[in-house]
Amino acid sequence: MLIPRRDTGFVHPFASEITPQAVYQDRRRLLQLMAGGAAGAAVAAWAARDALGQESGVPRPGKLAALPARRSAVDGAATMEKLTDYKDASTYNNFYEFGTDKADPARNAPTLKTRPWTVEVEGLVKKPGKYGIEDLLKLSAQEERIYRLRCVEGWSMVIPWVGYSLSELIKRVEPQGSAKYVEFVTLADKATMPYVGSRVLDWPYVEGLRLDEAMHPLTLLAFGMYGEVLPNQNGAPVRLVVPWKYGFKSAKSIVKIRFVEREPGTAWNKAAKQEYGFYSNVNPEVDHPRWSQATERRIGEDGLFAKKRKTLMFNGYGAQVGQLYAGMDLKKFY
Ligand SMILES: Nc1nc2c(c(=O)[nH]1)N[C@H]1C(S)=C(S)[C@@H](COP(=O)(O)O)O[C@H]1N2
Ligand SMILES: [Mo]
């Protein structure tokens, strides 16, 4: 992300292992029709999907463990957009612990050990604690949310994530009145992450949100995508997805959630302060110092030389999150 890169095209090292995503798309469409278009109705979507799969003899989308979820009412904007192919979403990644090239995470992340896994909740909360990943998974009902993910580099994807609102966890741990920010610390394990220790970033990779941003129902604690547990390269076993902010705010492979009083230092802010601010809201009107943020390329859909699409304010989630920033100068707080 520090170096403006020209796109070198897509690499699909594991293409042969992944069944066509079209199958998934078709079933979703069918289920939407079956649900009478009632977005958010608690349809047993995944049960139905599996049944459909059995009937038609079509294999499941990938080969990771299924993570059943019901359709959510909160995703909104991107729900009816064409989903990014699973193979693109899982082979075109940013996960610098595994390398800086888009194809590196898929190649190198198989070494990541996602079990056992503990997420520690600490800092200014009444009920700090350690959550084993299995308990964290079951803390609230899993929902499927279709969110856009827009990278600061100028590309975007539309992904059906599986998880629940981070607010479910936050409510349980009862933040103290003095807690104003939430810090997300991710794994930095030299033994399994080849680039930890390299000078490209300060490790561990840390992200942060204001407490009200973290409490917003759109902020998703994600455990899966496309109906399955997350592939390692997408941040297994648990990551954040903050759909109205640039992709880098969505910290992967989280090990600590810490409640603090002051704005935490974050990985990209520390690496290049003048380029990556704390807020990092998707904002087509605020250029990155070295390139424009006015347009984006939808991965897998637009083609390398096709016309780019216009980037939407707050990545299209303005109606839901705009009020969080009322009265703030978003050119100053970028
Ligand atoms: N721990 C960690 N989390 C991370 C990153 C990273 O390098 N390390 N990269 C971020 C960036 S820049 C983006 S765009 C998204 C990419 O998520 P994806 O690979 O699932 O599309 O993850 C974010 N989370
Ligand atoms: Mo990014």
Side-chain angles (χ1 to χ4, degrees):
M1 208 151 73
L2 288 168
I3 305 147
R5 356 172 4 115
R6 203 161 306 141
D7 214 299
T8 48
F10 309 137
V11 184
H12 305 306
F14 305 129
S16 61
E17 297 177 21
I18 296 158
T19 50
Q21 197 53 30
V23 170
Y24 178 92
Q25 298 261 17
D26 286 352
R27 281 190 237 157
R28 275 205 72 254
R29 289 279 131 77
L30 189 54
L31 282 161
Q32 274 167 356
L33 291 174
M34 282 163 61
V43 202
W46 294 107
R49 188 185 72 115
D50 278 354
L52 280 169
Q54 274 157 24
E55 271 163 34
S56 57
V58 179
R60 297 169 12 73
K63 42 188 256 170
L64 299 174
L67 185 56
R70 63 170 191 218
R71 283 285 297 119
S72 169
V74 254
D75 52 4
T79 310
M80 298 315 277
E81 285 181 30
K82 185 181 179 295
L83 299 178
T84 298
D85 279 355
Y86 181 88
K87 66 175 186 299
D88 286 330
S90 60
T91 55
Y92 189 87
N93 299 103
N94 271 334
F95 200 166
Y96 274 38
E97 288 83 337
F98 294 103
T100 54
D101 193 87
K102 294 287 174 286
D104 284 343
R107 249 194 315 254
N108 299 332
T111 51
L112 175 67
K113 250 187 85 202
T114 59
R115 294 291 188 283
W117 191 277
T118 309
V119 176
E120 238 178 300
V121 182
E122 58 179 43
L124 305 171
V125 288
K126 292 181 193 137
K127 296 178 176 166
K130 290 186 181 180
Y131 290 81
I133 189 68
E134 310 298 346
D135 294 332
L136 199 61
L137 259 160
K138 286 183 227 135
L139 187 113
S140 185
Q142 295 287 339
E143 296 186 349
E144 184 191 62
R145 305 227 187 126
I146 297 162
Y147 284 171
R148 299 190 185 102
L149 184 135
R150 206 282 194 189
C151 180
V152 75
E153 294 163 325
W155 47 267
S156 64
M157 304 199 196
V158 176
I159 295 176
W161 301 101
V162 178
Y164 53 77
S165 293
L166 174 67
S167 63
E168 297 293 329
L169 172 64
I170 298 182
K171 280 184 237 157
R172 255 165 242 240
V173 300
E174 299 180 23
Q176 297 172 15
S178 52
K180 297 285 184 283
Y181 294 88
V182 190
E183 189 178 358
F184 303 88
V185 183
T186 70
L187 186 71
D189 176 29
K190 278 191 181 166
T192 56
M193 298 171 137
Y195 279 68
V196 168
S198 78
R199 286 161 54 195
V200 58
L201 282 176
D202 233 32
W203 311 102
Y205 187 106
V206 172
E207 259 311 331
L209 294 172
R210 222 168 53 190
L211 182 59
D212 59 344
E213 295 177 324
M215 282 296 291
H216 193 282
L218 279 174
T219 302
L220 186 72
L221 199 57
F223 301 85
M225 61 185 215
Y226 300 86
E228 301 179 350
V229 299
L230 287 169
N232 288 353
Q233 60 268 34
N234 290 82
V238 58
R239 69 173 293 171
L240 211 58
V241 188
V242 193
W244 70 96
K245 291 178 182 277
Y246 291 116
F248 63 90
K249 298 298 281 186
S250 297
K252 293 174 165 180
S253 305
I254 296 168
V255 291
K256 266 188 197 148
I257 301 178
R258 187 183 288 144
F259 291 76
V260 295
E261 195 167 348
R262 302 245 221 91
E263 188 182 289
T266 60
W268 289 105
N269 190 237
K270 279 188 254 179
K273 214 173 188 51
Q274 60 302 338
E275 303 198 3
Y276 308 107
F278 176 80
Y279 281 92
S280 307
N281 289 317
V282 173
N283 188 343
E285 285 154 32
V286 176
D287 289 344
H288 181 279
R290 288 183 278 129
W291 61 84
S292 161
Q293 294 291 3
T295 60
E296 66 199 53
R297 186 168 61 83
R298 184 61 55 81
I299 296 293
E301 195 184 280
D302 296 342
L304 277 179
F305 304 102
K307 203 166 155 253
K308 291 180 175 185
R309 59 175 73 206
K310 277 196 167 137
T311 287
L312 302 170
M313 186 63 195
F314 297 117
N315 205 20
Y317 300 92
Q320 288 114 307
V321 303
Q323 79 281 0
L324 289 173
Y325 310 102
M328 276 178 78
D329 178 354
L330 296 180
K331 293 215 160 98
K332 189 170 164 218
F333 298 99
Y334 59 94

